[in-house]
Amino acid sequence: MNQDQPILQMSGIHKRFPGVKVLSDVRFRLFPGEVHALMGENGAGKSTLIKVLTGVYSTDEGSITLEGKPLVVRSPLEAQSIGISTVYQEVNLCPNLTVAENIFIGSEPLIFGRINWKEMNRKAETLLRDRLQLNIDVKLPLENYSVAVQQLVAIARSLNVSAKVLILDEPTSSLDRGEVEQLFLIMRKLQREGLAILFVTHFLDQVYEISDRITILRNGEFVGEYMADELPRIELVSKMIGRELQMLERIPKGADNVSPQAGIIAQASGLGRKGVIEPFDLAIRQGEVVGLAGLLGSGRTEVARLFFGADRPDQGKLELPIAGGTAASPRQALEKGIAFCSENRKTEGIVGDLTVRENMILAIQARRGWFKTISRKRQDELALEYIKLLNINPSNPEQLVRNLSGGNQQKVILARWLLTQPQLLILDEPTRGIDVGTKAEIQKLVMSLSEEGMAVLFVSSELEEVLRVSDRIAVLRDRRIVKEIADQEINQHNVMQAIAGG
Amino acid sequence: MNRMFRHHLFWPLAILAALLLFNLFYSPDFFNIVMRNGHMYGSLIDILNFGAPLVLVAIGMTLVIATKGIDLSVGSIVAIAGALACLTISRGTDQNALSLVLSAVGLTVGLSFFLGAWNGFLVATTGIQPIIATLILMVAGRGIAQLITSGQIITVTSDTYNYIGNGALAALPFSIFIVAAIYLIVSLLTRKTALGLFIESVGCNPQASRLIGIRSRLIIITVYMFCGLCAGIAGLILSSNVASADGNNAGLWYELDAILAVVIGGTSLNGGRFYLTGTVIGALIIQTLTTTIYMIGVPPEITLVVKAFVVLTVCLIQSEVFRKKVVQRWKTRRYPAEREVSRHV
């Protein structure tokens, strides 16, 4: 490893947005042939630092040098042309274009001034096969593929241009274990070729598995730069959240807080949707946290959506013994006291142009109808109460939700649903792309809500998290609920075995 | 000071003021208002009076655009409304009878509601894109209007009907009161109830709105119906003003002027946040511009070119990118993604 000369150096970086200071005096170095993890909680400024580096944002102060030469990046395109490529947290591709088009957009192979489609498709295919071991039809629209594949395509796209620095902003948050391995294989290969990789993730295991060096940010400030093998895990976490961590401890589970007599809130019998999820039976009781475990694409989300009426079942029925009737549409579900927090925060969660306050009150207001307005004073009270309760940062209720970091947006959506005081709260990947501290906060919240009698359906791709919060776990495999595991039987081994089958 | 520049009404107001100021220099008696027969006369009154239909249509358009839609059919609805009202009155035995005029107005309002509902139905339930869905009525509507008038220009001689577009109340043109009333009602409905919030939510993120439990279809149909209503009333005012209905030319290009007014007023065509007051000012800017062009005597063959030129200038002044380019402040240079961030503050 070349230790003497960093390829990229950022120093004294300052950045503020209207009303928020996001970066103050941050520095960062990147050496060729290393994987450098950038760590920090939500709102620590990781994404902003990356956007500054790639020319999406300008800096207010500070300097950036690339290979010793001062650097002013004015646009992402310019960053790319000088060798800084980025794969963002949320996939930024065009879902209605083909895979090949997405990879070569802006740099299509030409023949007599026309796009050479054959050549383009062939090149895309080889690129995906040889470098990512991905065998897919590149002529199909991108939206036909899972998020995981889309992520790999995004990486392929950045490999396409000759890069010196590759930035991966949470590339693994929607990949399953095998896909992560595959990605790491590729990262190591690129690393050997001398590429400098900046890697952002929330998974500690992955940080230690792949990184050489770690830089930690907290609240927009630089905490320190460490070699990965010299920094104990526990120290890393406490530096990130800046306090002693009780939250990472196993949350003690209330001894059997769900009695078998507890009322059933929702009962699915033979509920299913062709080609999406096989018919299943599942009951959720008051005060119970039911976890859904399974691999990516096993049908977790689909089960959750059927419970909320977000998708229409074509067989079986959903009964709500306490509220009465069924939930055939989101609107009906809400009336019956069911709330659903979608996994797609951006497209199905936040309303970006509206403020934090407006986003929070939307659901209760919708239930009250447009005419029975909540007074502005009450709205402000509610917003401030929940900002405090959920520790939302920045704490300004009039901030546009779009300007908040991912974790804080998630909290705003949680607040929106909690305000409706649901009997059943469905959380689909509530902690995706969220830092350790917030994750623990949300998990604790789920536990305390269930102690108060709320039923929770908890979906997560992190098995550890499902194990921690659930009273009962329904395991899915290949679009089918294969097993229910309860109470004492809940442990990693049992669940893993059920997921794997056999 | 910075707050003032950032306010969404700052640039529309500044442009309107600049236009008025230009007129003042050009003809010093521009601001003069005289009383005659209990009516006020003057250029400013004219702008308000002749601008009334456009303001009305633009208010309706604002709500449609806020839901990420667009309504191209308003010009045709203006023509249909005028044609139906005039036809009904011209068939009456006593054209001055209040009952006849009221029934004509009622019929017209009903029809424009229906036409708006048709647009809303197409957009909300069939999944046709708004620009296409309303294009259908834009094209067909002219035909319907001509069908009603049998291809002729229908003239009416009804003082009662004439009052809508030419009458005066408290010395001011009656049309101004109609517009003011509708503006007030809409402002109250959208800002004092949650209707405005729902409209913005549907326009900004339709999928999330569905999961929140907002009846987005109903909201979309409602805004198109309201837009149709506005266009219908505008048609009444226009036809009453000239005491005739012309299926071919009434309300021609109104949709474009209305869209322009909405955009000048600060509402984005991407839906979401909307600004009713901004729209009113935007419509007044367009009307002032038209009046100015007539007043300074631009030759008729180049009026459209002059108008286009001024509109281009207005849009450039409104564009933050352009302003930044002109100002070229090196230290606080802004990047594309930040521009979005600093809006609506």
Side-chain angles (χ1 to χ4, degrees):
Chain A
M1 210 180 298
N2 181 358
Q3 275 294 0
D4 25 65
Q5 199 58 46
I7 184 166
L8 178 87
Q9 185 146 22
M10 304 173 81
S11 51
I13 305 288
H14 287 263
K15 176 79 206 163
R16 51 168 56 249
F17 285 138
V20 208
K21 182 142 196 171
V22 268
L23 292 178
S24 77
D25 199 17
V26 170
R27 56 206 145 96
F28 182 79
R29 313 187 289 166
L30 193 57
F31 293 88
E34 75 165 0
V35 175
H36 192 144
L38 183 59
M39 304 289 294
E41 287 201 282
N42 285 314
K46 300 179 305 267
S47 291
T48 314
L49 187 69
I50 287 170
K51 284 183 175 161
V52 163
L53 180 57
T54 53
V56 180
Y57 296 157
S58 60
T59 51
D60 292 345
E61 263 176 66
S63 69
I64 308 174
T65 59
L66 183 70
E67 295 175 314
K69 290 187 284 283
L71 180 69
V72 179
V73 199
R74 284 184 203 80
S75 70
L77 201 66
E78 199 180 319
Q80 216 170 64
S81 70
I82 55 175
I84 302 177
S85 301
T86 317
V87 177
Y88 284 108
Q89 184 174 354
E90 324 253 349
V91 181
N92 271 332
L93 297 171
C94 308
N96 53 356
L97 296 186
T98 69
V99 171
E101 282 169 322
N102 267 296
I103 294 177
F104 286 100
I105 203 164
S107 56
E108 300 90 346
L110 297 178
I111 178 165
F112 307 125
R114 287 189 314 113
I115 294 175
N116 188 345
W117 295 101
K118 259 196 194 141
E119 173 76 1
M120 186 164 98
N121 290 336
R122 199 188 51 75
K123 271 167 93 174
E125 225 159 80
T126 8
L127 180 69
L128 287 175
R129 199 178 47 234
D130 296 351
R131 299 192 78 171
L132 301 183
Q133 281 90 42
L134 194 61
N135 261 319
I136 56 172
D137 185 353
V138 297
K139 294 190 283 292
L140 288 181
L142 187 69
E143 61 195 350
N144 291 17
Y145 295 103
S146 66
V147 183
V149 171
Q150 295 185 10
Q151 190 84 53
L152 290 175
V153 170
I155 291 169
R157 171 169 163 64
S158 60
L159 292 178
N160 179 30
V161 279
S162 54
K164 294 187 198 110
V165 172
L166 177 63
I167 302 171
L168 300 173
D169 189 355
E170 287 197 38
T172 55
S173 56
S174 40
L175 303 191
D176 68 27
R177 194 62 225 160
E179 288 162 328
V180 169
E181 278 308 318
Q182 198 179 335
L183 173 65
F184 281 0
L185 222 67
I186 293 148
M187 282 169 70
R188 290 206 187 88
K189 187 172 153 206
L190 295 170
Q191 185 186 3
R192 279 195 301 277
E193 290 165 10
L195 196 69
I197 300 175
L198 165 53
F199 180 55
V200 179
T201 184
H202 287 304
F203 300 100
L204 298 186
D205 291 342
Q206 296 178 2
V207 171
Y208 282 99
E209 191 177 336
I210 191 98
S211 320
D212 306 307
R213 197 188 296 265
I214 297 172
T215 289
I216 303 173
L217 301 182
R218 185 170 71 232
N219 291 332
E221 283 169 21
F222 176 81
V223 176
E225 187 197 272
Y226 311 88
M227 296 308 289
D229 42 16
E230 291 163 12
L231 183 70
R233 198 174 276 230
I234 200 81
E235 211 165 299
L236 164 67
V237 176
S238 67
K239 279 185 198 311
M240 275 165 63
I241 57 187
R243 56 193 130 111
E244 287 308 310
L245 52 141
Q246 46 302 53
M247 42 263 291
L248 272 197
E249 295 161 13
R250 206 181 169 78
I251 301 173
K253 204 167 281 175
D256 260 349
N257 54 3
V258 192
S259 64
Q261 286 84 24
I264 290 178
I265 292 224
Q267 164 87 53
S269 357
L271 199 65
R273 187 173 152 93
K274 278 215 174 62
V276 177
I277 181 85
E278 298 289 319
F280 63 90
D281 299 330
L282 186 63
I284 306 172
R285 291 194 187 81
Q286 275 173 322
E288 185 182 36
V289 181
V290 176
L292 294 182
L295 298 175
L296 199 76
S298 61
R300 296 177 316 222
T301 298
E302 290 72 11
V303 168
R305 291 182 74 91
L306 285 182
F307 266 99
F308 187 62
D311 293 330
R312 217 155 271 225
D314 52 16
Q315 48 199 312
K317 60 177 191 267
L318 174 68
E319 281 169 304
L320 309 170
I322 293 179
T326 184
S329 70
R331 200 180 154 73
Q332 233 176 42
L334 273 163
E335 274 166 16
K336 302 280 158 75
I338 304 178
F340 171 65
C341 200
S342 165
E343 65 171 335
N344 300 316
R345 192 157 56 219
K346 213 166 164 185
T347 55
E348 293 186 333
I350 60 162
V351 184
D353 271 349
L354 301 183
T355 65
V356 170
R357 169 181 56 84
E358 287 169 323
N359 266 282
M360 282 183 181
I361 62 132
L362 261 175
I364 31 171
Q365 185 66 71
R367 199 162 60 174
R368 290 166 70 117
W370 60 272
F371 198 70
K372 277 187 241 151
T373 319
I374 303 164
S375 78
R376 180 58 194 266
K377 195 165 149 259
R378 183 85 190 110
Q379 291 184 17
D380 287 336
E381 280 169 18
L382 288 173
L384 286 173
E385 185 189 327
Y386 275 83
I387 283 172
K388 218 173 135 208
L389 181 75
L390 299 177
N391 198 7
I392 293 172
N393 178 35
S395 58
N396 175 11
E398 298 309 306
Q399 183 73 242
L400 295 187
V401 161
R402 195 174 44 201
N403 298 351
L404 266 56
S405 69
N408 284 305
Q409 291 180 348
Q410 187 69 47
K411 287 176 177 177
V412 171
I413 297 170
L414 266 175
R416 174 195 291 166
W417 297 121
L418 292 182
L419 274 167
T420 65
Q421 295 173 322
Q423 293 181 313
L424 169 60
L425 178 63
I426 304 171
L427 298 173
D428 192 0
E429 300 277 5
T431 61
R432 174 187 288 177
I434 284 184
D435 63 84
V436 210
T438 315
K439 232 176 216 171
E441 278 176 44
I442 288 179
Q443 290 166 10
K444 270 192 168 167
L445 184 74
V446 168
M447 306 293 285
S448 70
L449 287 171
S450 85
E451 260 158 47
E452 288 161 24
M454 192 184 287
V456 181
L457 184 62
F458 192 92
V459 183
S460 174
S461 49
E462 274 181 75
L463 184 55
E464 193 211 345
E465 187 175 66
V466 180
L467 288 171
R468 189 179 301 170
V469 299
S470 308
D471 298 308
R472 189 150 55 91
I473 296 177
V475 180
L476 289 111
R477 186 173 68 233
D478 298 336
R479 307 178 184 286
R480 195 189 291 272
I481 293 188
V482 289
K483 194 168 183 189
E484 274 187 40
I485 303 175
D487 303 326
Q488 283 77 21
E489 269 96 74
I490 294 185
N491 60 46
Q492 189 147 0
H493 178 77
N494 282 351
V495 176
M496 288 287 255
Q497 205 160 40
I499 290 175
Chain B
M1 194 64 183
N2 211 0
R3 259 182 97 90
M4 190 181 91
F5 277 116
R6 288 261 191 82
H7 194 274
H8 68 268
L9 286 182
F10 175 78
W11 287 108
L13 279 173
I15 291 162
L16 184 59
L19 267 178
L20 291 173
L21 214 62
F22 169 82
N23 279 307
L24 184 64
F25 284 127
Y26 196 82
S27 80
D29 55 355
F30 185 76
F31 282 80
N32 286 3
I33 291 174
V34 293
M35 287 287 279
R36 224 177 296 143
N37 311 330
H39 285 216
M40 286 206 242
Y41 288 96
S43 305
L44 289 182
I45 303 292
D46 282 349
I47 290 174
L48 288 178
N49 191 14
F50 295 134
L54 181 61
V55 173
L56 211 50
V57 172
I59 287 175
M61 187 71 82
T62 307
L63 297 191
V64 168
I65 286 179
T67 63
K68 214 185 253 176
I70 202 156
D71 189 348
L72 295 182
S73 70
V74 286
S76 296
I77 297 180
V78 164
I80 294 173
L84 183 67
C86 290
L87 181 76
T88 315
I89 291 169
S90 68
R91 291 234 172 118
T93 41
D94 176 13
Q95 293 201 6
N96 277 321
L98 186 64
S99 59
L100 178 69
V101 172
L102 281 182
S103 66
V105 169
L107 215 58
T108 310
V109 166
L111 181 66
S112 34
F113 254 132
F114 171 76
L115 293 174
W118 163 257
N119 281 332
F121 167 77
L122 285 185
V123 173
T125 61
T126 64
I128 303 177
Q129 285 175 341
I131 196 165
I132 302 299
T134 57
L135 188 70
I136 295 169
L137 190 57
M138 176 188 178
V139 177
R142 289 273 158 213
I144 296 171
Q146 290 192 34
L147 222 65
I148 295 173
T149 62
S150 318
Q152 310 289 314
I153 293 179
I154 302 179
T155 49
V156 291
T157 49
S158 163
D159 289 337
T160 322
Y161 185 61
N162 200 239
Y163 183 79
I164 299 174
N166 282 330
L169 188 72
L172 281 170
F174 182 63
S175 57
I176 296 178
F177 291 94
I178 300 176
V179 173
I182 287 181
Y183 169 71
L184 270 179
I185 292 169
V186 178
S187 298
L188 286 177
L189 275 180
T190 53
R191 293 304 175 209
K192 289 294 164 196
T193 76
L195 200 56
L197 187 63
F198 290 173
I199 290 174
E200 289 178 338
S201 178
V202 168
C204 186
N205 192 340
Q207 284 187 64
S209 302
R210 186 176 92 92
L211 293 183
I212 289 164
I214 294 174
R215 296 178 203 265
S216 47
R217 275 185 189 174
L218 191 69
I219 292 216
I220 287 174
I221 293 178
T222 310
V223 294
Y224 279 94
M225 278 175 79
F226 174 72
C227 189
L229 172 75
C230 285
I233 297 177
L236 287 175
I237 297 176
L238 273 174
S239 67
S240 150
N241 190 277
V242 293
S244 65
D246 178 354
N248 250 336
N249 295 311
L252 201 60
W253 308 133
Y254 247 56
E255 55 282 339
L256 301 184
D257 274 353
I259 293 166
L260 195 59
V262 174
V263 172
I264 290 177
T267 304
S268 157
L269 284 176
N270 288 327
R273 285 272 188 235
F274 64 89
Y275 305 99
L276 284 174
T277 315
T279 295
V280 173
I281 295 169
L284 289 178
I285 288 174
I286 293 172
Q287 188 58 42
T288 310
L289 179 60
T290 312
T291 310
T292 309
I293 287 173
Y294 285 133
M295 200 186 66
I296 63 179
V298 174
E301 59 273 20
I302 62 161
T303 46
L304 285 179
V305 179
V306 173
K307 195 170 167 185
F309 182 74
V310 179
V311 166
L312 176 66
T313 317
V314 168
C315 290
L316 284 179
I317 292 173
Q318 285 248 312
S319 151
E320 208 165 326
V321 190
F322 181 77
R323 287 208 305 269
K324 287 269 148 54
K325 283 222 168 100
V326 171
V327 177
Q328 276 283 356
R329 283 186 303 185
W330 177 244
K331 188 127 195 264
T332 55
R333 60 198 192 280
R334 300 263 169 170
Y335 285 55
E338 283 164 35
R339 210 171 305 119
E340 290 172 26
V341 169
S342 57
R343 268 190 82 84
H344 308 305
V345 177

